[in-house]
Amino acid sequence: MSDTTYEAFLARVREIGQLASIESLLDWDSETYMPPNGLGVRAEQLALLASLGHQRRSDPRLGELLDQLEGRVSDPVQLTNVREVRRLHDRAVKIPEDLVRRISRASTLAKAAWAKARAESNFPAFAPHLRELLELKRQVADCLGHGGDRYDALLDEYEPGADSAQVAALFAALREPLSRFVRQLQAAPRQPDPSILRRRFPREAQERFARRLAAAIGFDFQSGRLDVSNHPFCSGTGSGDVRFTTRYREDFFNAAIFGVLHEAGHGLYEQGLDPQHAFTPMGQAVSLGIHESQSRLWENFVGRGRPFWDHFYGECQREFPEALGGVPLDSFHAAVNHVAPSMIRVEADEVTYNLHIVLRFELERALLAGQVAIEDVPSAWNQKMNELLGVTPRNDAEGCLQDIHWAMGIFGYFPTYALGNLYAAQFFEAANAAIPDLSDRLRRGDFQTLREWLRSNIHIHGQRYRPDELVARISGRPLSIEPFLRYLSDKFAPIYGL
Ligand code: ZN
């Protein structure tokens, strides 16, 4: 093998990465600044990019280059790029281009239909779109091949190496301890008063304070932006241009403040990737679960922690003197950690959050398998909410229409959120062992030490290590639910006086 073979391969890989980056920039625009009537044109543009990307990934010439390189490259960078592009290529050749284009177009239209259906709380208006997308994704799963469970084929795209049996086992193990812990907290002697977070928080102050927090934990606004969208997200078009969004609610502190810490956590991962490997697997995030571990780590493990507010609460009171001026730190810290079963996943506390994911995982699997009919989704959803969390949505907007994922044609993605929580707990435990005075550092406003630890252990490696390898490398053990359960009980016991 000559270097020119690898260079020719790399040139193609970079183009694939650049097409994906353009796609993500257009997606960002669709959710932020595009006027409503731009939708038709945007659907065509995105469908074109999706099919161009697919052509590049499935190109027989790329396959030939991979054949020539496999077994002949030896340095870790080249090995990683070849291994991961092989994965992309093999998936792509199995899926007809026409199917890719149909999914892209169907999902752009479904997103618009979903937004309207959710605003009107009208599931039947969204149902035909869901039916179409589900059918298209069944076709994708069958093209990719699976051992009888279509869900495995879809999950593997977001969390390489994970399978539904393994996820189901983790979730089964989590269910009972979480439900028991929620009941324990509800019966605890000390109860937080979450109403202090429902006072009036002026938007300008929220924006100023949220930006201040994002910058303090290390988000670089010279290499990124914060804008407003209905559904907060973070999209990376390259480590020098990382864009995230939030939404402001003047009657609720948590939405923007913790939303920004979450998305900025995703942003730190994107900004921490190695720019010399831009647009190649070595310069891209490992998996969605690992991505989510970074956002949850900053949002919850750091951002809802006592040291964080020891440092920031004075500033917070000065930004919101009317709402928080007379509220002691203890009460505030307890309130941002209030645990209560609720309807909306993105507003759920750390304890009940994973139960929201269990619901989606079970329902998605049943839908893909044809065990639940589309028209029965609302009732199936409500029944599961009742079973898992003991609450029943009043309407579809706060039930089965709350999330955008299915409208994006994304099935098999939800488990990565719960995996992210488990990864985050295991990483945070390892970080505390590696940096024994981490709490004191956070209390002093030193976020750089933790950020650099995350960067050098996770971000900088791109896709060099698969999720399970990364977890084992960092913590010395495979992923388990124990660090997460330990973290919850250590954290919530003092807050609730247990
Ligand atoms: Zn996230």
Side-chain angles (χ1 to χ4, degrees):
M1 182 214 64
S2 62
D3 269 1
T4 52
T5 311
Y6 185 75
E7 286 307 318
F9 161 79
L10 211 53
R12 284 169 181 267
V13 174
R14 284 208 190 93
E15 277 190 7
I16 293 169
Q18 282 159 355
L19 283 168
S21 140
I22 296 168
E23 204 176 333
S24 108
L25 187 57
L26 283 185
D27 267 327
W28 169 84
D29 177 71
S30 309
E31 302 296 324
T32 50
Y33 294 105
M34 184 184 76
N37 291 340
L39 184 67
V41 168
R42 185 54 45 85
E44 295 303 319
Q45 293 168 329
L46 287 168
L48 172 64
L49 282 169
S51 76
L52 284 176
H54 183 74
Q55 281 168 19
R56 294 284 207 283
R57 286 192 297 275
S58 59
D59 192 333
R61 180 64 192 133
L62 182 63
E64 288 166 20
L65 290 166
L66 282 166
D67 289 341
Q68 289 169 33
L69 291 167
E70 275 164 342
R72 295 183 201 162
V73 288
S74 53
D75 87 272
V77 171
Q78 296 187 349
L79 273 172
T80 301
N81 285 336
V82 167
R83 182 193 71 211
E84 292 303 316
V85 173
R86 165 60 77 190
R87 207 178 102 78
L88 276 182
H89 177 70
D90 285 355
R91 285 181 75 95
V93 292
K94 290 178 184 163
I95 303 173
E97 191 186 328
D98 177 56
L99 184 53
V100 173
R101 206 179 300 125
R102 279 162 64 205
I103 291 172
S104 172
R105 201 173 288 125
S107 67
T108 307
L109 300 174
K111 276 195 278 183
W114 165 80
K116 192 162 178 287
R118 190 175 82 142
E120 296 163 356
S121 193
N122 177 7
F123 178 78
F126 176 60
H129 295 274
L130 180 57
R131 182 171 290 113
E132 183 188 3
L133 281 166
L134 201 58
E135 187 43 44
L136 291 168
K137 294 303 273 200
R138 282 198 188 105
Q139 291 177 33
V140 168
D142 290 342
C143 291
L144 290 170
H146 49 81
D149 192 341
R150 286 178 169 132
Y151 202 84
D152 283 338
L154 301 181
L155 174 63
D156 187 66
E157 183 177 349
Y158 309 114
E159 201 62 19
D163 66 60
S164 24
Q166 174 206 11
V167 171
L170 282 172
F171 287 3
L174 267 178
R175 230 178 137 134
E176 178 44 33
L178 283 183
S179 301
R180 192 174 48 231
F181 195 50
V182 173
R183 287 194 300 272
Q184 250 179 345
L185 294 180
Q186 284 180 313
R190 215 178 293 148
Q191 291 294 324
D193 171 13
S195 73
I196 56 180
L197 304 171
R198 303 272 177 183
R199 295 174 177 172
R200 195 174 162 277
F201 297 90
R203 188 194 142 134
E204 319 79 72
Q206 282 195 48
E207 185 170 349
R208 194 166 49 235
F209 189 53
R211 281 179 187 277
R212 156 91 177 110
L213 295 182
I217 65 171
F219 185 85
D220 175 6
F221 281 99
Q222 293 303 307
S223 300
R225 292 183 56 88
L226 167 58
D227 294 272
V228 173
S229 73
N230 270 331
H231 324 287
F233 65 96
C234 174
S235 70
T237 51
S239 59
D241 186 356
V242 177
R243 304 177 184 213
F244 71 102
T245 66
T246 196
R247 54 185 165 194
Y248 298 98
R249 282 180 48 185
E250 295 209 310
D251 59 353
F252 189 33
F253 178 85
N254 292 8
I257 302 304
F258 290 105
V260 160
L261 284 170
H262 180 97
E263 300 304 337
H266 282 303
L268 290 180
Y269 191 177
E270 291 291 320
Q271 290 185 341
L273 294 165
D274 193 340
Q276 68 165 321
H277 299 305
F279 306 119
T280 73
M282 270 302 290
Q284 287 162 342
V286 185
S287 71
L288 289 176
I290 301 293
H291 226 305
E292 191 68 7
S293 76
Q294 302 304 288
S295 57
R296 303 288 286 179
L297 193 142
W298 286 104
E299 176 195 359
N300 291 329
F301 292 73
V302 176
R304 282 187 161 86
R306 182 59 186 238
F308 188 83
W309 291 108
D310 282 338
H311 182 71
F312 279 118
Y313 191 55
E315 209 172 308
C316 184
Q317 283 181 306
R318 285 193 291 282
E319 284 290 3
F320 308 105
E322 272 179 46
L324 298 176
V327 176
L329 173 56
D330 279 343
S331 312
F332 172 81
H333 179 244
V336 300
N337 286 294
H338 179 236
V339 173
S342 63
M343 304 300 169
I344 306 293
R345 174 184 62 87
V346 296
E347 290 170 5
D349 59 79
E350 291 176 86
V351 183
T352 58
Y353 186 94
N354 283 346
L355 296 171
H356 288 262
I357 302 304
V358 172
L359 177 154
R360 286 153 179 79
F361 171 68
E362 291 178 355
L363 190 53
E364 277 188 336
R365 267 179 114 190
L367 274 169
L368 265 181
Q371 292 158 349
V372 170
I374 300 283
E375 58 272 19
D376 295 335
V377 165
S379 58
W381 182 287
N382 294 352
Q383 193 192 325
K384 277 187 182 297
M385 277 300 281
N386 206 353
E387 183 188 314
L388 285 158
L389 288 153
V391 291
T392 310
R394 286 165 304 183
N395 53 49
D396 296 342
E398 65 174 30
C400 63
L401 283 175
Q402 65 181 273
D403 288 314
I404 194 172
H405 303 63
W406 293 343
M408 295 169 77
I410 291 174
F411 300 87
Y413 183 117
F414 282 118
T416 67
Y417 290 125
L419 291 173
N421 286 324
L422 302 182
Y423 291 138
Q426 208 149 326
F427 292 155
F428 197 59
E429 209 170 72
N432 274 290
I435 313 163
D437 61 343
L438 181 57
S439 289
D440 292 333
R441 287 176 182 272
L442 297 176
R443 192 168 286 117
R444 293 199 302 269
D446 166 8
F447 302 106
Q448 189 186 342
T449 305
L450 176 61
R451 190 178 69 249
E452 285 305 319
W453 185 89
L454 293 168
R455 182 158 201 244
S456 60
N457 281 283
I458 299 172
H459 309 169
I460 202 72
H461 300 300
Q463 295 179 0
R464 179 165 174 186
Y465 307 107
R466 288 284 180 80
D468 53 342
E469 290 175 307
L470 194 63
V471 169
R473 245 179 82 86
I474 291 174
S475 66
R477 277 161 302 159
L479 181 66
S480 80
I481 61 170
E482 305 308 330
F484 181 66
L485 294 178
R486 256 197 305 275
Y487 159 76
L488 290 182
S489 88
D490 288 353
K491 170 173 183 175
F492 287 94
I495 294 173
Y496 277 80
L498 287 173

